[in-house]
């Protein structure tokens, strides 16, 4: 009698998941201009200032926006997306 070789579906899923987790994500760093464009689109406001900050090992853009309602909002956008 011939042995049947097959993988259990759950094992295949777990192996696939482990491979996805193990592979490094191709993270791309966005520019300050890209971050500003995202915030402008999201808030429909006027950008007042942009700062590049370092929080730990991460770069973050701190963008101050004047909203349509006349409020000043501060939005932080991670550089790595």
């Amino acid at each position: 009698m011939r042995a049947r070789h097959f993988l259990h579906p759950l094992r295949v899923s777990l192996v696939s998941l482990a491979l996805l987790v193990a592979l490094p994500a191709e993270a791309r760093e966005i520019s300050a201009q890209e971050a500003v464009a995202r915030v402008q689109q999201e808030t429909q406001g006027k950008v007042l200032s942009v700062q590049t900050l370092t929080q730990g090992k991460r770069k973050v853009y701190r963008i101050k926006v004047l909203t349509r309602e006349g409020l000043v909002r501060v939005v932080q956008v991670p550089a790595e997306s």
Side-chain angles (χ1 to χ4, degrees):
M1 188 191 273
R2 208 168 162 203
R4 295 175 63 188
H5 296 285
F6 65 94
L7 291 175
H8 190 273
L10 179 60
R11 286 188 193 145
V12 172
S13 296
L14 292 176
V15 169
S16 300
L17 179 62
L19 287 174
L20 287 175
V21 171
L23 295 175
E26 292 297 324
R28 183 178 83 82
E29 188 173 289
I30 64 170
S31 67
Q33 291 83 4
E34 289 175 294
V36 165
R38 288 182 186 182
V39 170
Q40 280 180 320
Q41 184 177 12
E42 182 181 303
T43 64
Q44 299 298 309
K46 179 181 177 182
V47 172
L48 302 174
S49 66
V50 181
Q51 292 178 307
T52 303
L53 306 174
T54 303
Q55 294 179 342
K57 293 182 180 181
R58 296 176 42 175
K59 188 187 327 185
V60 176
Y61 300 112
R62 182 182 182 269
I63 303 170
K64 192 181 290 186
V65 182
L66 179 64
T67 67
R68 288 177 154 185
E69 297 79 25
L71 301 173
V72 175
R73 281 182 58 192
V74 176
V75 181
Q76 290 192 0
V77 179
E80 210 172 88
S81 65

